Amino acid sequence: MKKIISALLCLAMVLCLVACGNAATPSSSPAEPAASEPQAPAESSSAGTEKPYAGQTLVVQVWGGTYEETFKTYAAPMFEELTGATIEYVLGSTPIAQLGAEGENPSVDLIHGDAAEIVRGEEMDLFAVIDKSKLSNAADLYEKAFEYPEAIATNWGTYGIAYRTDLVEKAPTSWFDMWDPQYAGGKVGIMDLGMGGALEMADVVARTQGYECADQENWDNLFAKLAELKPNVGILASQHADVEAMLEQGDVVMCVETNGRAINMMRSGLPVGFCMPEEGVPAMTSYIALTKHSHNLDLAYIMADILISPEVQKAYAENNYYAPSNSKAEVAEDLRGFMPYGEDQVDLLVYIDAAAVEAVKPAFTERWNAIYK
Amino acid sequence: MKAKTKGRDLSKDWSYVNGWYLVIPLIFLVIFFVAPLCYMAYISFFEFNGVGKPLGDFTLSHYKEFFTKSTFWLILVRTVALGAASTILCVVLGYPISYKISRMRGRWRSVLMALVVLPLWVSMTIRMFGWMSILSTNGLLAKTLQSLFPGRDIKLLGSYTGIMLGLIHCGLPYFIMIMVGPIDNVDISYEEASYVFGAGFMRTFFKVMLPLTYKGALSGAILVFSLNTAAFLVPMMLGSGKIIVMTNTIYQQATYLYNWSFASALAVIFMVFALLITSLSRKTGRKTGSRSDLA
C-alpha cells in the first residue's frame, strides 16, 4: 500500500512539473503570433472610448531609479490611457542573456539598453527591425536616433567627471586631471567594465593617442596609460550608487559620472561639480528596442512611440537631464546647458564604436582585469 | 540489537526515511541541481557560439586557457586563500563563543543564540552596505583606527582586510551554530576530571575538549570555507571592484562577455578544487580523529 501511495505521489509531482512547464508557454504559438498585425499608434488612438488592448500586458525592462520614476510618472499613464493595457516592469540592466536563452518566447517586449547591449542583441538576433511607418513621431527624430536598424535612441546624456567642490584645489578640466598624483591613495572613482563609463573613458584616452579603444595595435600604450591611474583608483564601481556614496562621504574626490546623476547630486545640496573634459565628451545614449518574437509587438510600438513623443522626451530632459532625440521637444532655456541639447550638440559628442569593441571585448577585459584587479 | 521478526528487519520498516520517501527530494535534486550541473560541465567542453545558438565543436580550449594563464591561477589562489584565512579566523573566534553558549542554560543561552542568528535575518546586500559605511574613510572603524594610529593612511574599503572582515561576519554565525551542539555533547565532568588531575586550562582544552569536538569543528570549518570561497557580494561590495575572485570572474564571463562555455569551465575547475580541499580536510580530520581516539 505504502508503495502505491508513494508511486502516486511521484506521479502527482511529475504531472505538476509538466503542468508548470505548459503554463510557462504562451497560449499562442510563436509561429502564429496572437498579436495579429501590429497597428500604428495613430490608428490605436482613434479607437474612441473603446480601449483596444484592455486586459493585455506589455512587459517593459527599464533601469531602476530616476529613469524608472520618469517612465512610471509620464510614459506609463499615457500608454495605459491610450491602450487600456497594463505594464509589467522588469527593473535593472538589459536581460540580453536571458532573452537569448528564451529564444522565440521572450519574457520582455520592450527593452532599454546602451550601444553595447544593442550591438550584442543585434548579433544575437534578439530585436525586431524598427518599422518607422509604425511610429508617428519617427519623422521628428534626429538622424542619429536611427543609427542602429533595430533600436531607437530616446535620449542622450554625457559622461564626464563629477567632483567635490570642497575637496579639490582646482576643478578638473581634463580627463587626465584624474591622473594627478595628489589623488594617489584611492581618491578617484572610475566605472568597472560592465558599467557605462569604463570603456568610454578608455576610448577618450585612446583617442588622445590617435586611436580608438578597440584598436589593438595601441593597447600597450593605452593600458600603460590606464595603469598609471591605478594608484589613484579608490573604486571600480559596478553601480552608480556605490561611487556616489563614496563621493558623498569624501572617500573619493572625483569620479566618472553621467551628467544627469551628477546634476541630481548637485540639486540635492551636495558640494558637487560636473566637468565636461576638454579632450571630448563621450555620449551616453539610451536606446529602446523591441524583442523580435514579442507577442505584443503592436503594443510595444505604441509604447516606443510614446517614449519618443515630445511630451515624454521633455519629461526625461527636465527630470533626468537627458537631451531629447525628438527635435520637437522643447526644453526650458535654463536647463539646456545641463545636457547636449539640439542636433548640433548631439553630433559633437564622442561615440564609441560599440561593434568594434564588442569583437575585442574578451581580450580587453583580460588586460583591464590584469591592471586593476 | 536489531529487532527481527520472521527474518525481516523491523527497524527498516519503522524507519521514517525509507527508500520511497527519498524519491521526491531526489527527483527535485536531479532536476534542479544535478541536471543543470551536468549540463554546465557538458557545455564547458564545447565551443560557444552565442546564447541560444547551438554549441560548436568539442574543445578543451577553455580548460587550456585557464591552466596556461597565470592571471586565472592567481584569482583561484586568491579565492582559496581568502576562504581559508577567513575560515581559520572564524574557528578561532567562534569556538570560545560556542563554548560559552553551550555551557549556559536557561534564558541567557536563548538570548545569546538569538544574537548570533540575528544578522542572518537581514539581507546580505543590506549588511554589506552597512559594512561599507563602517569601513569607509569617514566610517566608524576607520576613524577609530586613525585615532589610534595617527598619520597612517588607513584604507579598509577596497582592501583585503575589508573583504576578510565581511567574510568573517558572514561565516561566524554558521560556525557558532554548528559548534554549540558538539561542545554541548561533551559532559562537563570530563573537563572537571582533567582539572582534578592537575591539568591547566590550555592542557584541558588541547588534550580533552579539542579532540572530543574536533569533528564538529571540522564540519563547521568546511561549511564556512565552502560559503566563503563561493562568496560573491562580499568581495564585490567590500573589495570596491578592485579585488576579483572566482565567483566574480565567472559572473563577468557569463553576463558581460557572454562566454558561457568558459564561464562553465571556470565553475567546474572551481568546484573541483573546492571539493579536493574539502575532501583533503576530511581525510586529515579522520586521521587526526583516530589518533586522538587512540590517545
Side-chain angles (χ1 to χ4, degrees):
Chain A
M1 186 62 191
K2 264 197 303 182
K3 285 182 182 177
I4 294 168
I5 291 169
S6 305
L8 283 172
L9 274 172
C10 291
L11 187 68
M13 203 193 80
V14 170
L15 285 173
C16 281
L17 285 171
V18 171
C20 290
N22 286 340
T25 311
S27 52
S28 56
S29 157
E32 301 169 78
S36 67
E37 283 299 306
Q39 295 171 11
E43 290 171 37
S44 311
S45 59
S46 66
T49 50
E50 283 281 311
K51 297 285 174 73
Y53 300 99
Q56 293 190 34
T57 302
L58 183 76
V59 184
V60 176
Q61 170 267 324
V62 63
W63 299 299
T66 51
Y67 211 93
E68 169 204 353
E69 278 171 29
T70 308
F71 187 97
K72 285 183 173 172
T73 311
Y74 297 93
M78 283 173 74
F79 173 81
E80 285 170 354
E81 175 61 29
L82 187 67
T83 62
T86 52
I87 299 172
E88 188 183 317
Y89 295 96
V90 174
L91 297 178
S93 55
T94 322
I96 296 287
Q98 183 190 329
L99 288 171
E102 287 168 350
E104 296 189 353
N105 283 310
S107 58
V108 183
D109 302 304
L110 185 148
I111 63 102
H112 288 75
D114 61 17
E117 285 153 346
I118 295 302
V119 167
R120 176 66 75 168
E122 283 188 350
E123 275 177 10
M124 289 162 66
D125 199 20
L126 298 181
F127 306 137
V129 174
I130 299 294
D131 182 351
K132 290 184 197 172
S133 68
K134 292 186 170 66
L135 299 165
S136 62
N137 291 302
D140 299 328
L141 262 57
Y142 302 144
E143 202 182 322
K144 201 91 183 156
F146 292 107
E147 199 174 6
Y148 298 103
E150 297 173 8
I152 313 164
T154 50
N155 46 53
W156 282 279
T158 59
Y159 290 107
I161 303 171
Y163 60 94
R164 280 286 295 265
T165 50
D166 56 335
L167 297 178
V168 296
E169 284 177 15
K170 187 173 152 282
T173 55
S174 155
W175 284 104
F176 296 107
D177 285 337
M178 295 198 301
W179 271 252
D180 194 322
Q182 68 172 310
Y183 304 126
K187 292 292 178 192
V188 170
I190 62 171
M191 294 295 166
D192 201 359
L193 293 178
M195 278 298 290
L199 284 168
E200 285 79 0
M201 183 192 78
D203 191 51
V204 175
V205 173
R207 281 169 195 260
T208 63
Q209 297 169 330
Y211 293 88
E212 292 187 24
C213 79
D215 295 331
Q216 286 183 285
E217 65 266 35
N218 182 51
W219 276 10
D220 286 343
N221 279 333
L222 172 63
F223 283 102
K225 192 67 191 169
L226 291 175
E228 287 172 22
L229 181 63
K230 191 184 179 183
N232 295 10
V233 174
I235 180 172
L236 286 140
S238 53
Q239 295 290 333
H240 285 285
D242 295 349
V243 75
E244 284 167 10
M246 287 184 80
L247 189 69
E248 189 179 336
Q249 288 167 1
D251 284 343
V252 297
V253 298
M254 60 176 67
C255 64
V256 177
E257 189 52 286
T258 67
N259 65 318
R261 297 191 75 104
I263 294 162
N264 274 324
M265 279 193 279
M266 285 183 220
R267 294 214 154 180
S268 69
L270 286 171
V272 169
F274 183 68
C275 148
M276 296 211 263
E278 60 200 20
E279 293 87 359
V281 180
M284 188 202 68
T285 317
S286 303
Y287 294 93
I288 51 170
L290 319 179
T291 50
K292 189 174 182 179
H293 299 285
S294 162
H295 302 294
N296 296 306
L297 206 54
D298 47 351
L299 274 174
Y301 265 109
I302 295 171
M303 186 78 246
D305 205 26
I306 287 171
L307 287 169
I308 56 171
S309 67
E311 297 84 4
V312 173
Q313 295 254 304
K314 191 179 173 208
Y316 274 107
E318 288 174 350
N319 293 282
N320 303 73
Y321 312 105
Y322 294 140
S325 58
N326 188 319
S327 58
K328 297 259 175 78
E330 289 287 331
V331 176
E333 290 274 352
D334 60 325
L335 285 178
R336 291 179 185 179
F338 291 133
M339 63 190 82
Y341 181 73
E343 194 163 19
D344 295 345
Q345 293 290 314
V346 167
D347 287 341
L348 280 175
L349 298 175
V350 177
Y351 291 87
I352 197 164
D353 186 345
V357 171
E358 203 60 34
V360 296
K361 220 181 221 179
F364 191 93
T365 305
E366 203 179 317
R367 292 195 68 162
W368 176 277
N369 285 349
I371 286 177
Y372 289 124
K373 291 163 186 270
Chain B
M1 193 179 175
K2 287 178 181 174
K4 286 194 174 184
T5 306
K6 293 179 186 175
R8 283 179 64 197
D9 188 346
L10 282 178
S11 67
K12 278 187 182 172
D13 286 351
W14 286 98
S15 165
Y16 288 102
V17 194
N18 74 17
W20 275 103
Y21 296 123
L22 288 174
V23 168
I24 291 173
L26 271 177
I27 289 175
F28 181 88
L29 279 174
V30 167
I31 293 174
F32 296 107
F33 182 73
V34 180
L37 203 65
C38 291
Y39 183 67
M40 185 187 74
Y42 174 77
I43 65 170
S44 72
F45 290 104
F46 291 89
E47 281 168 4
F48 194 67
N49 295 325
V51 181
K53 290 180 182 166
L55 292 170
D57 296 334
F58 176 86
T59 179
L60 290 173
S61 62
H62 306 303
Y63 290 92
K64 194 180 162 193
E65 189 175 351
F66 178 89
F67 288 113
T68 53
K69 285 189 177 165
S70 58
T71 47
F72 292 116
W73 276 105
L74 185 68
I75 292 169
L76 180 65
V77 170
R78 182 187 294 147
T79 310
V80 172
L82 276 169
S86 60
T87 303
I88 291 167
L89 285 168
C90 279
V91 172
V92 172
L93 295 171
Y95 197 102
I97 300 170
S98 307
Y99 179 85
K100 192 69 191 166
I101 292 174
S102 61
R103 292 296 182 233
M104 289 173 94
R105 291 289 175 266
R107 193 169 44 150
W108 281 108
R109 180 183 165 119
S110 310
V111 169
L112 277 178
M113 275 307 281
L115 283 175
V116 168
V117 181
L118 204 62
L120 304 180
W121 295 354
V122 183
S123 139
M124 174 73 103
T125 316
I126 293 168
R127 281 190 277 154
M128 286 307 113
F129 269 120
W131 271 105
M132 281 171 77
S133 77
I134 292 170
L135 298 177
S136 74
T137 313
N138 294 316
L140 183 71
L141 190 57
K143 281 271 185 198
T144 310
L145 288 172
Q146 270 159 6
S147 62
L148 289 173
F149 306 101
R152 283 199 178 180
D153 184 25
I154 292 167
K155 279 267 176 196
L156 296 171
L157 204 57
S159 70
Y160 284 101
T161 313
I163 294 180
M164 281 294 287
L165 285 170
L167 291 176
I168 292 166
H169 164 92
C170 293
L172 200 54
Y174 291 102
F175 185 79
I176 293 171
M177 281 193 294
I178 284 184
M179 275 314 290
V180 166
I183 296 174
D184 210 11
N185 289 338
V186 179
D187 199 303
I188 198 162
S189 58
Y190 286 105
E191 287 177 81
E192 287 169 352
S194 173
Y195 287 125
V196 165
F197 284 105
F201 168 76
M202 295 296 273
R203 202 173 162 81
T204 303
F205 176 73
F206 283 107
K207 291 287 180 187
V208 179
M209 283 309 290
L210 193 59
L212 289 172
T213 56
Y214 184 84
K215 284 179 182 171
L218 188 68
S219 300
I222 286 171
L223 177 73
V224 172
F225 177 77
S226 311
L227 288 171
N228 284 358
T229 46
F232 174 75
L233 273 179
V234 177
M236 191 181 83
M237 293 177 77
L238 303 186
S240 296
K242 295 195 290 181
I243 297 166
I244 194 165
V245 292
M246 284 299 280
T247 47
N248 307 129
T249 313
I250 294 166
Y251 182 78
Q252 191 179 55
Q253 289 291 334
T255 65
Y256 179 61
L257 301 172
Y258 302 102
N259 189 349
W260 288 10
S261 288
F262 187 52
S264 300
L266 288 177
V268 169
I269 292 164
F270 185 34
M271 195 175 66
V272 168
F273 268 86
L275 283 173
L276 273 175
I277 293 168
T278 309
S279 52
L280 271 176
S281 313
R282 282 198 186 281
K283 269 191 178 173
T284 318
R286 262 188 231 123
K287 278 181 190 168
T288 315
S290 54
R291 270 205 301 275
S292 57
D293 289 345
L294 288 171

